[in-house]
Every structure is written in structure tokens, then in C-alpha cells.
Amino acid sequence: PAEVAARARAAADVEAARRQIEPLIHAGGFPEALARILIGAVRARGSIERRSGHIGKHVRAYLKEHRNQIGSLVGAEPIDFPAVLKAQARIVMLEPERAIEAIPALIPRHEQRELAVVIAAKVLMLEPELGDADSKFARRTQELLGVDFNAAAKKLGVATHRRVEHKTDHAA
């Protein structure tokens, strides 16, 4: 039947896509690792791509703010963060575990790992509807990278307070 053929085509398409991204799982550096950290922490995958331009502005501002602590991360060319997010979202979608486990190799220097964790948390604190900076995924990433967020934030001079929504109880 047509349904069986459609499922077979879909499975073949997914396998073809996995073969395409295979060489990209361990490719990249700081921008790709940061994108994977953000993508993993996001609740709804599509929301990060729709807001990639906005997220890119936050990331560029934070990189500028912390450039003294990290020196040069990449070449002189500007990073097209929306394109990085899109490419990394595809990798994370197709090979989630392998993509996340590859993050430490993408950012081998401890200072860069600290910065990636702090920037991701800062973006998620500014955009709380995207995801949670304290999620299980965020904690797993910190473990993989050997980074304690609070220690890294303190070292980088970043406030660690979470944005709190105040709720009031009104008596009926």
C-alpha cells in the first residue's frame, strides 16, 4: 500500500540525511558548540530557528562583552549565527546524543567551555520562553564540559540571579 511505501521513503530520507551530517558531528568550534548547547536546552526546536536572528544578536553582544576573557575565538570573519543555529539544529535533530557528546571536543579550552555555558544561560534567562537554563539538559552539558555555571559566572563577572516572575494571590 501507499502508506508502507511512504514510510519506507521517509526512513530512507532520514538515513540519507544522517549520512550527510555524519562528517559534521565532530566539526566546528565555539559557535557550533554554543549553538548545540542552546538547541539542546530549547523546549520547542522550531522556536530557536524562528528567533535565530534575535538570539544571534544576544550571542554577538555577549561575545563582545567577554572578548577580554577569551581572546580570539575564531577568525576575523563575523559569525552568521542564524546559519550556524540552522545547521546545528539539523545535526542535533538527527543525531542528538552524538551531537551533544561531541561538544567538549569542539571547545577544548576550559575558558571557552565556561564562556559557552554562561552565554547559553544568559540567552535562556533573557528568552525564558525558549527553555530553561537550569534544565536537566543544561546540567548534563555542564557535566560533559566539566564546568560549574556558578563558578564560571563568578569568574566572568556575570550576575547569576534568575529572573523571577512575581505571582500574587488574590483572595476571592
Side-chain angles (χ1 to χ4, degrees), residues 2-35:
E3 187 177 314
V4 172
R7 282 193 183 142
R9 277 193 312 277
D13 289 349
V14 168
E15 283 311 307
R18 282 196 172 116
R19 284 191 299 278
Q20 278 183 329
I21 61 120
E22 176 66 30
L24 304 175
I25 292 172
H26 297 281
F30 186 90
E32 291 78 10
L34 178 57

Side-chain angles (χ1 to χ4, degrees), residues 126-162:
L126 280 175
E127 304 284 337
E129 65 280 0
L130 285 177
D132 183 1
D134 293 321
S135 70
K136 182 179 174 183
F137 173 83
R139 289 190 302 275
R140 177 172 175 234
T141 303
Q142 291 173 39
E143 283 177 27
L144 268 175
L145 294 174
V147 171
D148 173 75
F149 167 75
N150 289 320
K154 185 175 182 181
K155 180 178 174 183
L156 292 168
V158 174
T160 58
H161 62 279
R162 301 284 192 245

Side-chain angles (χ1 to χ4, degrees), residues 7-108:
R7 282 193 183 142
R9 277 193 312 277
D13 289 349
V14 168
E15 283 311 307
R18 282 196 172 116
R19 284 191 299 278
Q20 278 183 329
I21 61 120
E22 176 66 30
L24 304 175
I25 292 172
H26 297 281
F30 186 90
E32 291 78 10
L34 178 57
R36 290 182 192 186
I37 293 168
L38 285 167
I39 292 161
V42 168
R43 289 189 196 106
R45 296 269 189 258
S47 64
I48 199 158
E49 286 188 42
R50 285 191 301 278
R51 310 219 24 188
S52 63
H54 191 64
I55 292 167
K57 286 179 189 173
H58 288 312
V59 168
R60 281 189 292 280
Y62 294 140
L63 288 175
K64 221 180 240 187
E65 178 184 337
H66 295 290
R67 72 175 163 256
N68 293 338
Q69 290 98 331
I70 54 160
S72 177
L73 283 174
V74 292
E77 75 283 350
I79 300 164
D80 180 357
F81 211 74
V84 171
L85 279 170
K86 184 176 181 179
Q88 297 306 309
R90 186 168 184 245
I91 294 167
V92 172
M93 180 187 72
L94 290 164
E95 289 289 352
E97 289 301 313
R98 293 178 64 210
I100 299 311
E101 289 168 4
I103 291 172
L106 300 180
I107 40 176

